[in-house]
């Protein structure tokens, strides 16, 4: 099973639907696969493994995802993470607008979490066919489970 198929299949078990003014959006510049914006209609915001905390949004189509995965081994007071390979933080991000997952090559995420809210601002870069695309957005949602 590919990473994309695994993500799609397991999403339904843990998802929540945004309500009220909850936000899970990103702008994409320049556009990637003719998309200028990502907006999640469902999301997961919880620990899906003993070692990480996942923030994953899925668009209404069911095949578009944005994910940010943070390490759980960092101090509870840590709120700023570097995204990309080789960073000691171990934070990762990706954007999937087709069946092809585009992993971030660099970026940053700032996260504040309470029992009621996960609030994150992020900016990262993905590459497609040699061209860099900036993905910048905000997540302000209710956790689906408390880690």
């Amino acid at each position: 099973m590919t990473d994309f198929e695994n993500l799609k299949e397991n999403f339904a078990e843990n998802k929540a639907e945004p309500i009220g003014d909850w936000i899970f959006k990103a702008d994409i510049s320049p556009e990637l696969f003719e998309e200028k914006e990502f907006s999640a209609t469902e999301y997961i915001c919880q620990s899906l493994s003993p070692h990480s905390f996942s923030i994953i949004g899925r668009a209404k189509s069911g095949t578009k995802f944005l994910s940010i995965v943070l390490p759980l081994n960092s101090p509870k007071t840590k709120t700023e993470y570097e995204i990309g390979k080789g960073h000691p933080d171990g934070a990762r991000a990706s954007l999937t607008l087709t069946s092809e997952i585009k992993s971030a090559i660099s970026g940053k995420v700032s996260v504040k979490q309470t029992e009621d809210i996960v609030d994150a601002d992020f900016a990262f870069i993905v590459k497609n066919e040699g061209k860099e695309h900036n993905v910048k957005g905000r997540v302000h949602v209710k956790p689906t489970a408390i880690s």
Side-chain angles (χ1 to χ4, degrees):
M1 181 179 296
T2 67
D3 289 342
F4 175 72
E5 290 167 336
N6 189 41
L7 178 62
K8 195 173 174 184
E9 183 177 303
N10 293 317
F11 192 88
E13 295 174 21
N14 300 289
K15 75 175 181 178
E17 294 186 21
I19 53 173
D21 295 332
W22 301 120
I23 298 167
F24 201 126
K25 292 187 178 184
D27 292 321
I28 306 163
S29 173
E31 66 185 32
L32 176 62
F33 302 117
E34 300 180 9
E35 301 280 347
K36 294 179 184 178
E37 181 179 273
F38 174 87
S39 184
T41 54
E42 301 170 323
Y43 69 92
I44 294 172
C45 205
Q46 69 185 63
S47 294
L48 297 175
S49 80
H51 307 292
S52 64
F53 184 81
S54 297
I55 302 169
I56 305 170
R58 178 167 73 173
K60 190 173 188 172
S61 71
T63 60
K64 298 175 184 177
F65 294 88
L66 188 148
S67 71
I68 298 170
V69 180
L70 306 171
L72 277 181
N73 60 355
S74 58
K76 290 286 184 191
T77 56
K78 186 165 182 64
T79 60
E80 302 282 331
Y81 297 87
E82 293 286 329
I83 296 172
K85 291 182 179 180
H87 288 290
D89 291 336
R92 300 181 314 273
S94 64
L95 180 64
T96 306
L97 299 175
T98 65
S99 60
E100 201 176 320
I101 297 173
K102 298 295 179 186
S103 296
I105 58 171
S106 65
K108 292 185 179 194
V109 62
S110 173
V111 179
K112 295 176 190 151
Q113 180 184 351
T114 66
E115 288 188 17
D116 299 324
I117 298 292
V118 172
D119 196 7
D121 291 301
F122 58 88
F124 60 87
I125 297 170
V126 297
K127 222 174 193 181
N128 184 56
E129 297 180 355
K131 190 174 185 179
E132 292 186 352
H133 302 268
N134 296 294
V135 181
K136 184 177 180 179
R138 178 149 189 245
V139 174
H140 183 81
V141 296
K142 196 171 194 147
T144 48
I146 303 301
S147 56

